[in-house]
Amino acid sequence: MENREITLADIFLDILSESQDKGAKLMAERIKAAIKSPEILELVNICVINALGYKSKISSKTVDNAIDSIVSFVHSEIDSSNLSDNDKEKEKNSYKHFAKSLGKILKENLQVAQQLI
């Protein structure tokens, strides 16, 4: 296991993992796998900090890199699915478009909140 400090995101995910809701547990496990990317970890941590009512800053490039890492992570999951190759490509393209749109909205909101550097 890598040596890094425990973040609020880690604590939040540990609590979520203990939920009795199977969907919440699955979501926590998927996020734990994804946050091995430092950019995704930073973005998730910013989201948790914001949810607690605090403000922290993040760079536009880090948000872009996190979105790209999330897309790569989801594309890997799609590749390992039982979908046909054609359906895999449709899913990948759809998800990539969705993630890029979400990233744009996220950066706009962070900019308005003066958290984007």
Side-chain angles (χ1 to χ4, degrees):
M1 186 167 169
E2 64 204 49
N3 283 333
R4 66 174 176 81
E5 291 185 30
I6 301 294
T7 67
L8 286 175
D10 294 315
I11 295 167
F12 170 75
L13 290 171
D14 285 344
I15 292 168
L16 195 58
S17 294
E18 294 174 10
S19 169
Q20 297 302 313
D21 182 315
K22 290 183 184 203
K25 283 184 178 188
L26 178 60
M27 179 178 57
E29 292 308 312
R30 290 182 75 203
I31 294 171
K32 282 181 181 182
I35 64 173
K36 291 181 179 170
S37 159
E39 293 87 3
I40 295 174
L41 175 61
E42 187 172 347
L43 181 60
V44 171
N45 207 37
I46 293 294
C47 292
V48 171
I49 290 168
N50 286 351
L52 294 172
Y54 299 97
K55 289 189 176 186
S56 189
K57 295 187 184 275
I58 189 169
S59 76
S60 179
K61 179 145 179 68
T62 300
V63 174
D64 289 338
N65 290 343
I67 296 298
D68 289 343
S69 294
I70 292 168
V71 168
S72 293
F73 179 78
V74 172
H75 281 190
S76 295
E77 287 189 331
I78 292 170
D79 281 337
S80 66
S81 73
N82 293 328
L83 296 172
S84 70
D85 288 345
N86 189 39
D87 287 342
K88 285 180 183 181
E89 285 309 309
K90 286 180 186 176
E91 285 292 316
K92 285 180 181 180
N93 288 332
S94 176
Y95 188 81
K96 184 175 183 178
H97 177 72
F98 169 76
K100 294 295 182 181
S101 296
L102 183 63
K104 182 180 176 186
I105 292 167
L106 178 61
K107 287 187 345 183
E108 288 170 358
N109 284 315
L110 289 168
Q111 182 69 41
V112 167
Q114 299 178 342
Q115 292 177 263
L116 194 64
I117 51 175

